[in-house]
Amino acid sequence: MSTLSPAAIELVQQTFAEVGRNPQQLVEAFYGRLFSLAPDFRPLFPEDMREQQKKLLQSLTLVVNNLKKPEAVVPAVQELGHRHIDYGVKPEHYDTVGAALVWALTQQLGPQWNADVQDAWVAAYSLVANVMIEASQA
């Protein structure tokens, strides 16, 4: 996994800290948007989403907290990519997931969201998605 610029890392970590004040709002918005963009994804998830929302938040926290040392998180992200094969996730699904995440972040961050923040989050998500995709194809 390549690295992000120090400025991008700082923006992602700062905005994630802000989101962390109400993380439940983020994960609920994310899944609501994801199922709105791709209703066919809904059957891939459990009926009760509480545990899934918790897992998403844990994964986001792990990645964001380790952006300065990707070697600490790559194995976990690769394992996540492997597990997603069993869930029926295909490489093309990652774009939709990324769009839902960016949308949820824009909703929660409001006026704090700008082009620089968007670029940083898109770059960070792209790095993670690429590691997961590569792991799922290995």
Side-chain angles (χ1 to χ4, degrees), residues 31-58:
Y31 283 112
R33 183 64 170 181
L34 182 64
F35 300 148
S36 166
L37 292 172
D40 54 315
F41 286 12
R42 186 61 184 101
L44 302 174
F45 293 88
E47 187 66 33
D48 183 345
M49 291 293 292
R50 286 178 290 199
E51 190 61 31
Q52 183 64 37
Q53 291 171 347
K54 184 178 171 183
K55 288 178 184 178
L56 172 63
L57 191 56
Q58 288 170 339

Side-chain angles (χ1 to χ4, degrees), residues 39-90:
D40 54 315
F41 286 12
R42 186 61 184 101
L44 302 174
F45 293 88
E47 187 66 33
D48 183 345
M49 291 293 292
R50 286 178 290 199
E51 190 61 31
Q52 183 64 37
Q53 291 171 347
K54 184 178 171 183
K55 288 178 184 178
L56 172 63
L57 191 56
Q58 288 170 339
S59 294
L60 284 170
T61 301
L62 175 70
V63 170
V64 170
N65 287 344
N66 288 287
L67 287 173
K68 291 181 182 174
K69 46 187 177 194
E71 68 282 355
V73 75
V74 167
V77 173
Q78 289 171 326
E79 176 58 30
L80 199 56
H82 285 297
R83 281 196 314 241
H84 278 71
I85 298 168
D86 296 335
Y87 305 144
V89 176
K90 296 177 173 45

